[in-house]
Amino acid sequence: GRQELSGRRAGGSIFPLEATVTAAKAGSQVFYTGTFRDISDRKQAESAIKFANHEIKTLNLRLQAENKRLGAEVDVTRRLQQMLLPREEELKNVTGLDIAGFMEPATEVGGDYYDVLTYGNRVKIGIGDVVGHGLESGVLTLMLQTAVRTLLENNETDPEQFMTVVNRTLHNNLQRMNSDRNVTLCLLDYCDGQLLVSGQHEELIIVRSTGEVERIDTIDLGFPIGMVADIAEFVSHLSVQLRSNDVVVLYTDGITEAENHQGELYGIERLCEVVRRNHRQSASTIR
């Protein structure tokens, strides 16, 4: 048969040996043949594989523990995001406006942001989109929400100054995080039919009570938040007059860039048409 043995070299060192012995008959005579092989290289390879397997198992256990920890962190961030969204009862209490909102992250933690805040007889509405998804983007949306609310609590009402300070706050944090993320952000101030729009984000859709659709490009109203330290020279605002039963739609590219099974984008035109057909309905129905 075949056996693994220990051999001794001429110099006295011991090495692993494989011996294969077979029996053969020639008439009434039986004789044996033996083959002996030095299997040092094979044993070293087997030892290396065994060590590697042990390392892999150890790393897998560590990875499972890390995934569990990260999963818990992601879950906490996602829940915080959802907790900080404006509640239905808050939106119902906004005087003079019928508002409905919705957000569903594409991944566990998304980079979308929206908020509705009242101060005095005015309403401030914010909508933004952090580049990318995941934990880092989710944390940035929380920073953005806090920055906007803090400025409002400190009675900052100038739209250009408001946007400039939000940018500086997030830029400083992004530098500290060594992150290259940035945010598109649009802030709207509403009072007595007047809508003040500032910041760069997706187009603003307005469907008038007559069914006429207006699309307002915000590209010249701001600059991506957090990309540079000072965006004051890029920020401006425009004023839109709203009348009774006019509809305003704010959205992120999760809507317009959604794809069907054929790879066809949903698109801005389809969104406008859906809102136009339903502009006489309530905000929640349109949503």
Side-chain angles (χ1 to χ4, degrees), residues 158-174:
D158 180 82
E160 280 89 350
Q161 179 66 14
F162 202 105
M163 194 69 70
T164 300
V165 175
V166 168
N167 174 77
R168 190 162 59 244
T169 301
L170 260 69
H171 179 267
N172 290 341
N173 275 346
L174 285 167

Side-chain angles (χ1 to χ4, degrees), residues 4 31 37 52 123 145 149 200-201 222 241 251 279 281:
E4 289 187 4
F31 63 92
R37 287 197 307 133
V123 181
Q145 195 257 16
R149 282 181 173 259
Q200 185 187 103
H201 185 59
Q241 183 66 45
Y251 61 95
H279 76 278
Q281 306 295 328

Side-chain angles (χ1 to χ4, degrees), residues 5-23:
L5 310 170
S6 293
R8 187 187 302 276
R9 300 188 191 281
S13 62
I14 303 298
F15 67 98
L17 184 72
E18 182 182 81
T20 305
V21 179
T22 58

Side-chain angles (χ1 to χ4, degrees), residues 11 34 38 42 64 79 81 102 110 140 143 160 184 200 202 218-219 227 238 258 261 277 280 282:
D38 182 347
R42 191 179 81 189
Q64 289 172 14
R79 288 169 60 192
Q81 271 190 318
F102 176 79
L140 283 176
M143 291 180 186
E160 280 89 350
T184 63
Q200 185 187 103
E202 306 292 335
T218 62
I219 191 72
M227 187 174 288
L238 61 82
H261 294 300
R277 285 203 313 266
R280 296 186 185 278
S282 67

Side-chain angles (χ1 to χ4, degrees), residues 120-134:
N121 63 337
R122 308 179 70 87
V123 181
K124 181 175 284 289
I125 302 169
I127 187 164
D129 185 6
V130 180
V131 171
H133 301 281

Side-chain angles (χ1 to χ4, degrees), residues 66-79:
E66 183 68 6
N67 283 340
K68 188 175 181 180
R69 184 185 65 80
L70 287 175
E73 290 183 359
V74 166
D75 185 57
V76 168
T77 307
R78 181 184 59 80
R79 288 169 60 192

